[in-house]
Amino acid sequence: GDSVTQMEGPVTLSEEAFLTINCTYTATGYPSLFWYVQYPGEGLQLLLKATKADDKGSNKGFEATYRKETTSFHLEKGSVQVSDSAVYFCALIRPTGNQFYFGTGTSLTVIP
Amino acid sequence: DAGVIQSPRHEVTEMGQEVTLRCKPISGHNSLFWYRQTMMRGLELLIYFNNNVPIDDSGMPEDRFSAKMPNASFSTLKIQPSEPRDSAVYFCASSLWGNQPQHFGDGTRLSIL
């Protein structure tokens, strides 16, 4: 069945460090891929998305590229800030479906 | 535009009591999802609706849980009777049908004593 696998957390980085959170997926066909972010006490918010192979989603300095050959959608940011501390979820949805498949989430803490 | 609105934000009640969580989806969205989030199990899909009709309730943990969507602008998730292991954050999300992003509410933090 469809699934998403994220790197284990928690991740702790110093401010201005480079961030990578790995995400790989298993799905039939060509799913759409998403990254969501959850700040403490809040719901999940859409961070970025990509709908086809080689698409790059980007938002707020975060980027992720849809890699069909490696079934991956790794999240990157060149210079993290304390305000980026949150839990990040990778997710997929089939092109003909309506149900999201979420990863387990990766907690990021950025220290000054 | 208003986002997904959930109420209450916090609920504390004793075991055995009935709990009702409420959700107002984004206007125009025709799909609605209920999730439960805990440290142990992460984010779990409980049930989802399309055009007010339940499509998949396989994630509902047991018969004590029920969900309804009487119209396009309102849904409830009910737990009766509640148990301490039901303590969690419950999220509602809505979207347009198809491979569209889901929009989440801020959740209801439920504590069953």
Side-chain angles (χ1 to χ4, degrees), chain B residues 50-68:
Chain B
N50 187 49
N51 291 328
N52 312 337
V53 175
I55 302 300
D56 184 351
D57 65 354
S58 60
M60 296 286 262
E62 48 196 277
D63 291 346
R64 298 184 296 106
F65 286 69
S66 62
K68 295 182 179 180

Side-chain angles (χ1 to χ4, degrees), chain B residues 37-86:
Chain B
Q37 187 178 40
T38 61
M39 290 294 292
M40 291 295 292
R41 294 186 298 271
L43 193 65
E44 303 172 278
L45 177 64
L46 301 178
I47 185 171
Y48 75 91
F49 297 81
N50 187 49
N51 291 328
N52 312 337
V53 175
I55 302 300
D56 184 351
D57 65 354
S58 60
M60 296 286 262
E62 48 196 277
D63 291 346
R64 298 184 296 106
F65 286 69
S66 62
K68 295 182 179 180
M69 192 165 186
N71 57 62
S73 59
F74 184 66
S75 177
T76 60
L77 178 68
K78 188 172 293 187
I79 308 173
Q80 166 64 17
S82 58
E83 296 183 4
R85 59 195 168 114
D86 302 330

Side-chain angles (χ1 to χ4, degrees), chain A residues 32 34 36 38 41-44 46 49 89 93-100 102 104, chain B residues 9 31 33 35 37 43 45 48 56 91 95-102 104-106:
Chain A
S32 293
F34 303 82
Y36 279 79
Q38 184 179 28
E42 299 183 12
L44 280 69
L46 178 66
K49 68 176 183 179
F89 293 87
I93 189 171
R94 292 183 192 173
T96 55
N98 204 47
Q99 181 177 341
F100 267 59
F102 283 93
T104 53
Chain B
R9 286 299 312 277
S31 295
F33 306 79
Y35 291 89
Q37 187 178 40
L43 193 65
L45 177 64
Y48 75 91
D56 184 351
F91 288 103
S95 74
L96 294 169
W97 175 256
N99 60 337
Q100 299 296 318
Q102 291 183 8
F104 283 74
D106 285 336

